[in-house]
Amino acid sequence: MPLSFKVVNMSSHNNAPLKILFTASEAHPLIKTGGLADVAGSLPIALSNFGLDVRLVLPAYPDAIQRSAPLQEVTSIRVPGFTETIRILEGRLAGRIPLYLVDAPSLFNRPGNPYTDASGKNWSDNGLRFISFCRAVASIALNHAELGWRPDLVHCNDWQTGLVPALLSSEWNRPATLFTIHNLAYQGLYDEETFQSLRLPPEFWNPAALEFHGHCSFIKGGLAFADWVTTVSPTYALEILTKAFGYGLEGLLQHRASRLKGVLNGIDYAIWNPASDPAIPQHFDTNSFNLKYINKVRLQQELGLPVKEGAFLFGHIGRLVEQKGVDLILDVLPGLIRTPNTQLVILGSGSPELEKALHQASKQHPDRVAVFIGYDEQLAHRIEAASDCFLMPSRFEPCGLNQLYSLRYGAVPIVHRTGGLNDTVIDVSPRNLLDGIATGFTFDTPDKNSLWRAVERAIQFKNRPGVWWDNLAINGMKQNFSWDTSARHYLDIYQEAIDSPAPNPIADITERI
Ligand code: ADP
Ligand code: GLC
């Protein structure tokens, strides 16, 4: 779904900068479980570089409070369905983007993950936690929280913020709304009893609104009510219109297709830059690619693998969930082990079964496989810097950031041609390598044989004499996936959403009632 540029008027009335309230449930470096945090921590900065007045609002998790100190309480509010007073704390993201933390300790002051308890089970009151958050965001958006600032548009991200467009829809003086889908697989579904307990307007219990096969769907609040909907790559924007990727929401998305666009994520090259990354032992760039191997040697030492600068090191980092296809990596492991001189490093956490299987693999092949179960941001940087190849056999991938980090770090990606992976990695052929276009290896079906064929192609390519491999890796390092282009696309969409609000999907129904 290609986007065309047009001249953007970046101001609201009287040439004042456009005011955007950006909201998500996580943002790097305050709190992170995946790529959503990378986007919410970097896109607001890119937008503010274009002169927009952007403010970020997040739940006040303990890590977020600690990492954004000093904070100041600026106001307090009450929201329906939650008995305690909510404090709004103000700080700064990256020292400059105004940041509001929604401080409701009984909802958000919990150890560990924002969504799950220590055993990985969803917190049982997630419905209440995130509707209360959405109500607080809506209150800020309408200036009911009296912060003396009223946004022109609220940019919501994923199901945790999905109810914001729905809650704002009936307000005559509401700001425009944009909802970005980072992953349609996570929808925030709750039973009817929970819906009632959340004190949502009864007319929302309707298939045109939040009702989804007998459940209340938070993500539908965004998909049905937002003025515009975006997702994080052009290919995923097409995929989610199909049964295979739509999770039953494809009909609604088709209905909204004229206000649905795919905008590829950018990455923050200030954080992910092998020439200056403080987390990696040896800096390198396209002119000093020959130094990259030092990172490999240091990682081998760190993780207890045999130290061999000539080893062919495969890396993988990610949430251990079905989406990411780590089981396929385990399926091709025998082939990797049979191939002399290969090593595999995996960093991830998630499904206990996959964690166990990975542990077993590293125990069985300690000289070939190193596994680190857990979450370690710095180690993720060191793996990107050390790896020759990065494996990403995701079954689906809305955008994917790791392949973009891999490209920058000269870790040639091997990816399933889906979603954002299809939009960012170009399969190698002798011709497009010479043209400087090829950047990796792609395969069409997420199964063991297809992944293995791609891995074999990479191994053969690596064994070619001369500088073929280096040229391929350096091509990848030269790609530009900074936010500049994508942030411009968002500016376009913000303006369209502000200029032409979408009709309220249940206005008709309410009138008939
Ligand atoms: P997703 O958002 O689906 O998890 P992405 O590729 O968009 O996938 O982003 C994942 C982000 O989370 C990357 O920044 C990646 O480095 C990071 N990440 C995932 N798992 C871990 C982990 N175990 N340790 C450190 N970083 C991780
Ligand atoms: C999601 C997707 C991932 C995407 C990230 C940031 O978690 O799974 O593909 O890169 O969000 O948009």
Side-chain angles (χ1 to χ4, degrees):
M1 212 171 276
L3 281 164
S4 58
F5 280 119
K6 71 175 192 202
V7 178
V8 176
N9 167 10
M10 280 178 291
S11 40
S12 49
H13 311 293
N14 313 324
N15 278 341
L18 210 56
K19 297 193 284 293
I20 306 296
L21 183 62
F22 194 99
T23 184
S25 58
E26 46 183 275
H28 179 78
L30 308 179
I31 176 90
K32 170 169 167 179
T33 69
L36 169 63
D38 290 2
V39 173
S42 56
L43 175 55
I45 296 173
L47 292 166
S48 103
N49 290 342
F50 280 107
L52 274 64
D53 176 0
V54 188
R55 305 190 181 189
L56 175 66
V57 52
L58 293 181
Y61 308 112
D63 280 350
I65 292 180
Q66 196 205 327
R67 291 174 192 166
S68 51
L71 288 162
Q72 216 190 334
E73 178 178 341
V74 281
T75 189
S76 59
I77 54 173
R78 311 279 304 212
V79 298
F82 181 63
T83 50
E84 294 158 35
T85 298
I86 295 176
R87 297 189 312 155
I88 307 294
L89 311 176
E90 185 176 347
R92 288 273 181 279
L93 174 79
R96 63 191 180 101
I97 305 291
L99 165 75
Y100 298 121
L101 295 183
V102 172
D103 188 26
S106 69
L107 301 178
F108 300 120
N109 186 1
R110 298 179 187 183
N113 187 296
Y115 319 116
T116 63
D117 64 19
S119 72
K121 236 178 83 201
N122 284 333
W123 296 111
S124 60
D125 58 349
N126 273 350
L128 176 65
R129 295 173 76 222
F130 289 106
I131 193 176
S132 303
F133 177 63
C134 288
R135 283 182 163 131
V137 174
S139 167
I140 294 172
L142 293 165
N143 199 23
H144 292 169
E146 296 182 356
L147 293 172
W149 184 82
R150 180 187 278 275
D152 300 301
L153 179 138
V154 189
H155 186 161
C156 306
N157 296 273
D158 271 356
W159 72 265
Q160 299 87 353
T161 57
L163 293 182
V164 175
L167 292 168
L168 289 174
S169 64
S170 54
E171 303 287 338
W172 67 272
N173 59 346
R174 70 172 178 87
T177 52
L178 166 63
F179 181 77
T180 298
I181 305 164
H182 293 262
N183 195 331
L184 201 59
Y186 301 95
Q187 303 178 357
L189 292 181
Y190 298 95
D191 59 21
E192 190 172 356
E193 205 182 315
T194 308
F195 172 82
Q196 312 231 333
S197 73
L198 296 179
R199 299 182 47 194
L200 279 158
E203 62 271 22
F204 281 2
W205 189 261
N206 184 302
L210 304 185
E211 201 252 318
F212 184 65
H213 302 294
H215 281 76
C216 165
S217 162
F218 276 34
I219 202 171
K220 276 189 77 181
L223 304 184
F225 287 90
D227 293 307
W228 270 81
V229 178
T230 62
T231 188
V232 288
S233 70
T235 296
Y236 194 61
L238 295 174
E239 288 173 340
I240 55 178
L241 300 179
T242 67
K243 200 163 182 270
F245 294 86
Y247 293 94
L249 291 163
E250 60 275 12
L252 170 58
L253 290 164
Q254 285 160 16
H255 174 66
R256 302 239 44 208
S258 64
R259 286 169 178 267
L260 167 68
K261 276 182 181 166
V263 180
L264 195 66
N265 283 334
I267 61 172
D268 187 340
Y269 285 124
I271 297 176
W272 292 92
N273 179 359
S276 57
D277 187 338
I280 68 174
Q282 175 64 55
H283 291 156
F284 62 99
D285 59 21
T286 49
N287 295 317
S288 54
F289 181 70
N290 58 323
L291 298 178
K292 179 177 159 82
Y293 82 93
I294 296 171
N295 292 301
K296 175 166 24 181
V297 167
R298 295 285 291 275
L299 189 74
Q300 289 165 332
Q301 287 165 342
E302 178 184 343
L303 299 180
L305 286 168
V307 175
K308 287 188 189 172
E309 63 178 78
F312 189 10
L313 181 68
F314 291 83
H316 176 81
I317 302 160
R319 296 178 295 115
L320 299 177
V321 291
E322 212 211 344
Q323 173 190 348
K324 302 290 177 183
V326 183
D327 51 313
L328 301 177
I329 300 180
L330 286 166
D331 286 345
V332 301
L333 191 59
L336 273 186
I337 301 293
R338 272 197 308 274
T339 311
N341 218 19
T342 56
Q343 294 179 343
L344 172 66
V345 170
I346 296 191
L347 163 64
S349 65
S351 134
E353 292 76 37
L354 284 170
E355 289 185 357
K356 200 167 142 212
L358 288 171
H359 261 315
Q360 256 162 5
S362 70
K363 259 207 213 136
Q364 244 178 326
H365 308 285
D367 54 337
R368 306 293 287 280
V369 181
V371 169
F372 186 95
I373 299 293
Y375 189 92
D376 187 331
E377 193 78 25
Q378 307 299 304
L379 179 56
H381 285 242
R382 294 197 293 279
I383 292 175
E384 294 285 9
S387 300
D388 295 298
C389 249
F390 194 89
L391 295 170
M392 234 166 138
S394 309
R395 293 192 163 81
F396 68 94
E397 195 61 79
C399 178
L401 298 175
N402 271 126
Q403 83 281 13
L404 303 181
Y405 302 145
S406 303
L407 287 170
R408 192 48 137 211
Y409 281 65
V412 177
I414 298 182
V415 304
H416 172 215
R417 220 152 62 79
T418 185
L421 300 175
N422 179 50
D423 295 327
T424 55
V425 180
I426 313 253
D427 194 55
V428 67
S429 70
R431 169 87 221 161
N432 67 13
L433 182 62
L434 290 177
D435 292 345
I437 294 169
T439 54
F441 300 88
T442 70
F443 58 96
D444 287 331
T445 319
D447 63 25
K448 170 182 164 183
N449 291 338
S450 309
L451 172 59
W452 177 243
R453 272 196 298 276
V455 169
E456 263 186 323
R457 284 174 59 217
I459 293 169
Q460 282 157 9
F461 202 85
K462 182 86 167 75
N463 288 336
R464 280 187 177 200
V467 291
W468 288 88
W469 185 267
D470 289 11
N471 285 344
L472 177 60
I474 290 169
N475 271 353
M477 292 178 75
K478 286 183 179 160
Q479 304 302 304
N480 182 357
F481 290 104
S482 69
W483 271 112
D484 287 5
T485 310
S486 300
R488 276 179 202 279
H489 286 315
Y490 279 114
L491 295 179
D492 252 359
I493 296 167
Y494 290 165
Q495 199 66 57
E496 287 192 38
I498 292 166
D499 292 345
S500 55
N504 186 329
I506 55 167
D508 257 20
I509 296 156
T510 324
E511 268 163 32
R512 273 186 269 130
I513 294 169

